[in-house]
Amino acid sequence: QAVFAATAGVMQTREGKVGYEEGDALLTGEQGESWPVSHLFFDARYLPDPGVISGQAGQYRPVAVPVWALHMQEAFTVALPAEKGVLQGKAGDWLVQHTPGEYGVVDGEIFSLRYIDV
């Protein structure tokens, strides 16, 4: 589920507080987890479900693209670019590189549901 930010702000995610800009997508996953995605990244990586107009709130699905991921065996932190926040990962979480310089932390259970290991 996606809505689009009317103003800049900060969102509490499972992994920490993350800043976002006006127009960024604010996503809510199937398990109630929330996270912001920059507007440009969102447009390149998510497609609206039938009946949803791109750029409007509604259901979107990710485009399947390769990402680099590392299964972490102990707790770790990730500083986001542009001082948008610091994520806290726990043992069993995954460190995911979405694009060069853009990292995220994905819960181990959520990773197994959303990502395909190849």
Side-chain angles (χ1 to χ4, degrees):
Q1 186 70 27
V3 297
F4 297 90
T7 61
V10 175
M11 171 185 274
Q12 179 66 49
T13 71
R14 287 183 178 185
E15 297 79 22
K17 292 181 180 180
V18 179
Y20 58 85
E21 302 299 324
E22 179 181 339
D24 286 353
L26 308 178
L27 304 180
T28 302
E30 295 170 0
Q31 296 182 348
E33 71 280 13
S34 298
W35 68 100
V37 176
S38 73
H39 187 67
L40 292 175
F41 183 82
F42 183 83
D43 288 345
R45 293 284 185 93
Y46 289 84
L47 296 173
D49 278 357
V52 177
I53 297 171
S54 185
Q56 292 186 348
Q59 285 290 127
Y60 287 76
R61 63 188 180 285
V63 174
V65 296
V67 296
W68 291 100
L70 179 62
H71 195 207
M72 304 298 286
Q73 302 304 310
E74 54 189 57
F76 63 103
T77 61
V78 177
L80 299 175
E83 298 183 22
K84 288 205 173 190
V86 176
L87 303 179
Q88 305 292 324
K90 60 189 181 308
D93 286 350
W94 289 79
L95 173 63
V96 178
Q97 181 183 24
H98 299 286
T99 62
E102 293 284 335
Y103 294 90
V105 175
V106 180
D107 177 85
E109 183 179 333
I110 292 171
F111 186 90
S112 68
L113 296 172
R114 292 207 184 118
Y115 293 84
I116 299 170
D117 186 18
V118 292

